[in-house]
């Protein structure tokens, strides 16, 4: 059966581990995989701005020997003429073997998957989910902390609209003994469905407003940007945008082996002085993202390592 990746839980915990194991192997010996996608094409259908995700998908496919086609904004495509996502994917299914789609509307990649003849990957849908960023985050945590079970993970910033945080929480909740510290202003707390799923599974979590108070407890600190484009009015954004700024002084409160992650782009929430701290791992995270996307493309195309 053709497999899509729309929600992080579309993958079983075992599949996630397999993907991360394969990504590790690719990272160790990338040249072994450089022809496995010869003759295959990846379409990137991006209706919303992106730097990392789109380029990381494209680099991943190119590194596997495949090629890429697509568009990087809704205004460049027939969406500007009123074409539906369902029609666009029917068309793209003729030109590509696999596609990654980013869309401002929650659920658009799912609609695409329902009408597609090729595997569809959700590269971010509105304020909903971002499963491939989560695979990136899991690979980064596993590689740098050598485990995921039992970690205390602080997630800070815009937990209401930040799709990366929703997918990360859903996925980390499947590991044993992970504790969540959710740090946000009242108005930007996680949506009810996330809150209720943590409660229903009796997962340890707390919601706090101050970052400095919890810094000493954290093994991982996941910082996020306040999602300006999802606010209903600019005044609220301006009031909340600088709620958290991680600086060198706050880093002094943290464990020596804590790691700081951020899906990027960063606006103001991490002072550039933190970049020099060895615990700042957000640029390493970008690199892991490319390898995990190589693994994902291989697996969704049904390609086995033995074919390398
Ligand atoms: C994130 C996104 O698009 O949701 N960026 C990314 O894909 N790395 C985070 C963000 O835009 O804040």
């Amino acid at each position: 059966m053709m497999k899509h990746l729309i929600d992080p839980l579309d993958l079983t915990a075992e599949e996630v581990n397999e993907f991360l194991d394969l990504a590790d192997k690719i990272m160790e010996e990338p040249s072994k995989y450089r022809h496995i996608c010869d003759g295959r094409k990846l379409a990137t259908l991006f209706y919303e701005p992106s730097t990392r995700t789109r380029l990381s998908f494209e680099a991943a496919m190119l590194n596997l020997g495949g090629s890429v086609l697509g568009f990087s904004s809704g205004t460049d495509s027939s969406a500007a003429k009123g074409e539906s996502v369902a029609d666009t994917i029917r068309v793209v299914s003729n030109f590509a073997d696999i596609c990654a789609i980013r869309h401002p509307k929650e659920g658009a990649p799912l609609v695409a998957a329902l009408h597609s003849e090729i595997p569809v990957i959700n590269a971010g849908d509105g304020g909903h989910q971002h499963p491939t960023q989560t695979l990136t985050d899991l690979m980064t945590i596993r590689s740098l902390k050598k485990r995921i079970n039992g970690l205390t993970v602080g997630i800070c910033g815009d937990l209401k609209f930040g799709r990366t945080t929703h997918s990360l929480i859903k996925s980390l909740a499947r590991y044993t003994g992970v504790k969540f510290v959710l740090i946000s202003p009242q108005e930007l707390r996680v949506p009810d469905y996330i809150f209720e799923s943590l409660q229903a599974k009796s997962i340890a979590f707390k919601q706090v407003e101050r970052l400095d108070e919890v810094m000493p407890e954290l093994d991982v600190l996941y910082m996020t940007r306040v999602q300006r484009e999802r606010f209903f009015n600019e005044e609220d954004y301006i009031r909340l945008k600088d709620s958290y700024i991680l600086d060198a002084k706050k880093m002094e409160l943290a464990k020596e082996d804590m790691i700081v992650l951020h899906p990027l782009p960063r606006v103001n929430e991490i002072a550039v002085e933190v970049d020099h701290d060895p615990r700042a791992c957000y640029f390493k995270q970008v690199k892991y993202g490319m390898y995990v996307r190589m693994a994902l493309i291989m697996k969704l195309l049904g390609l086995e390592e033995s074919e390398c």
Side-chain angles (χ1 to χ4, degrees):
M1 216 179 84
M2 188 168 54
K3 195 152 171 86
H4 306 285
L5 176 59
I6 305 301
D7 184 281
L9 302 191
D10 290 345
L11 303 175
T12 63
E14 292 71 40
E15 282 173 319
V16 170
N17 277 336
E18 274 171 39
F19 285 21
L20 300 186
D21 291 345
L22 176 58
D24 279 343
K25 285 189 195 158
I26 299 175
M27 193 165 168
E28 262 165 41
E29 208 186 340
S31 60
K32 196 174 146 202
Y33 300 83
R34 73 175 166 225
H35 291 298
I36 190 157
C37 282
D38 279 0
R40 314 253 184 171
K41 295 190 201 77
L42 164 79
T44 50
L45 313 182
F46 275 57
Y47 296 83
E48 242 192 10
S50 167
T51 305
R52 260 150 306 276
T53 306
R54 187 169 60 83
L55 295 184
S56 157
F57 265 113
E58 296 190 356
M61 190 50 155
L62 295 172
N63 287 337
L64 294 170
S67 41
V68 295
L69 67 167
F71 51 80
S72 56
S73 93
T75 50
D76 289 351
S77 73
S78 283
K81 300 183 191 167
E83 185 172 61
S84 67
V85 166
D87 284 1
T88 302
I89 194 72
R90 281 194 188 104
V91 170
V92 171
S93 294
N94 294 292
F95 305 143
D97 302 286
I98 184 165
C99 119
I101 174 168
R102 166 170 291 190
H103 201 285
K105 288 211 178 104
E106 289 82 4
L110 176 61
V111 172
L114 295 173
H115 295 89
S116 180
E117 285 165 33
I118 57 175
V120 173
I121 303 168
N122 177 4
D125 63 327
H128 191 214
Q129 301 294 331
H130 194 342
T132 66
Q133 180 63 46
T134 295
L135 289 172
T136 302
D137 302 337
L138 295 177
M139 180 172 178
T140 310
I141 297 172
R142 197 178 87 157
S143 304
L144 300 177
K145 301 295 295 177
K146 309 289 174 223
R147 67 188 169 117
I148 298 181
N149 292 334
L151 294 174
T152 298
V153 181
I155 305 185
C156 177
D158 186 347
L159 311 189
K160 179 177 181 186
F161 297 116
R163 56 194 174 198
T164 61
T165 70
H166 305 157
S167 291
L168 183 61
I169 295 170
K170 271 179 138 182
S171 293
L172 282 177
R174 295 201 289 201
Y175 291 83
T176 315
V178 170
K179 288 195 196 118
F180 292 99
V181 182
L182 305 175
I183 310 142
S184 73
Q186 288 273 352
E187 288 140 290
L188 297 181
R189 284 187 168 186
V190 287
D192 289 346
Y193 78 95
I194 300 270
F195 177 82
E196 283 156 16
S197 76
L198 290 176
Q199 272 190 329
K201 290 186 202 133
S202 307
I203 288 161
F205 77 99
K206 62 179 174 185
Q207 303 193 89
V208 300
E209 286 186 52
R210 299 218 21 192
L211 174 58
D212 47 359
E213 277 171 9
V214 295
M215 280 299 272
E217 302 166 30
L218 307 177
D219 299 307
V220 177
L221 172 58
Y222 193 88
M223 293 297 293
T224 63
R225 166 181 79 88
V226 175
Q227 307 278 300
R228 181 181 200 161
E229 65 277 33
R230 318 241 182 260
F231 274 70
F232 297 111
N233 69 66
E234 186 72 3
E235 271 163 44
D236 286 348
Y237 169 72
I238 289 170
R239 188 166 46 81
L240 293 167
K241 73 183 173 67
D242 292 328
S243 300
Y244 302 100
I245 299 180
L246 180 67
D247 54 16
K249 198 154 170 271
K250 286 202 188 72
M251 288 298 285
E252 281 174 20
L253 304 168
K255 289 185 185 167
E256 268 178 29
D257 63 348
M258 185 192 77
I259 56 170
V260 184
L261 305 184
H262 190 309
L264 302 176
R266 147 180 64 186
V267 186
N268 261 343
E269 56 283 351
I270 304 182
V272 286
E273 65 192 16
V274 177
D275 298 356
H276 309 294
D277 190 305
R279 294 168 290 182
C281 299
Y282 27 91
F283 291 112
K284 278 188 199 156
Q285 198 177 345
V286 177
K287 190 158 196 166
Y288 289 120
M290 186 187 70
Y291 290 109
V292 90
R293 289 186 175 97
M294 288 170 80
L296 177 67
I297 291 171
M298 273 181 63
K299 290 279 188 185
L300 292 187
L301 286 176
L303 300 169
E304 291 301 326
E305 276 171 78
S306 53
E307 296 173 51
C308 289

